[in-house]
Amino acid sequence: MAHSYAYLDKEKILHLHPLEDEAVKHGKYVGTNLDYDESDYPVIGGEGVIYYADKDTAYVNGNEDNGKQIAVPSGLKALAGQLL
């Protein structure tokens, strides 16, 4: 059984939510076992990661305007690929 449900918002940013009923409101979604932070972003290596699927970029400690860009975790890329 899925731990959370992944979906892309209208800006194609990846989010995770514990409730399937909430994820379905955003259209296409998939179940995953990834953890998420209080903002519903996936947690990789203990940090919330904001992943822009359409730009294939990822950030920690903020978003594309004020965060630190990191290499895109392969698990997030694969997950978003199922949603695009």
Side-chain angles (χ1 to χ4, degrees), residues 22-50:
E22 287 298 316
V24 74
K25 293 177 183 178
H26 299 275
K28 193 172 184 180
Y29 69 96
V30 295
T32 181
N33 288 321
L34 289 176
D35 286 327
Y36 49 90
D37 65 13
E38 65 279 349
S39 298
D40 291 340
Y41 294 117
V43 172
I44 304 291
E47 294 189 278
V49 176
I50 299 177

Side-chain angles (χ1 to χ4, degrees), residues 5-79:
Y5 298 90
Y7 64 90
L8 297 174
D9 68 14
K10 63 185 178 189
E11 283 85 30
K12 303 286 190 240
I13 298 171
L14 183 67
H15 293 270
L16 304 180
H17 200 281
L19 301 176
E20 186 174 11
D21 290 347
E22 287 298 316
V24 74
K25 293 177 183 178
H26 299 275
K28 193 172 184 180
Y29 69 96
V30 295
T32 181
N33 288 321
L34 289 176
D35 286 327
Y36 49 90
D37 65 13
E38 65 279 349
S39 298
D40 291 340
Y41 294 117
V43 172
I44 304 291
E47 294 189 278
V49 176
I50 299 177
Y51 176 56
Y52 294 82
D54 61 340
K55 299 175 184 177
D56 195 31
T57 57
Y59 299 85
V60 294
N61 301 322
N63 58 27
E64 66 183 342
D65 295 327
N66 59 8
K68 176 185 172 198
Q69 188 170 359
I70 61 168
V72 176
S74 60
L76 296 187
K77 190 172 192 168
L79 190 58

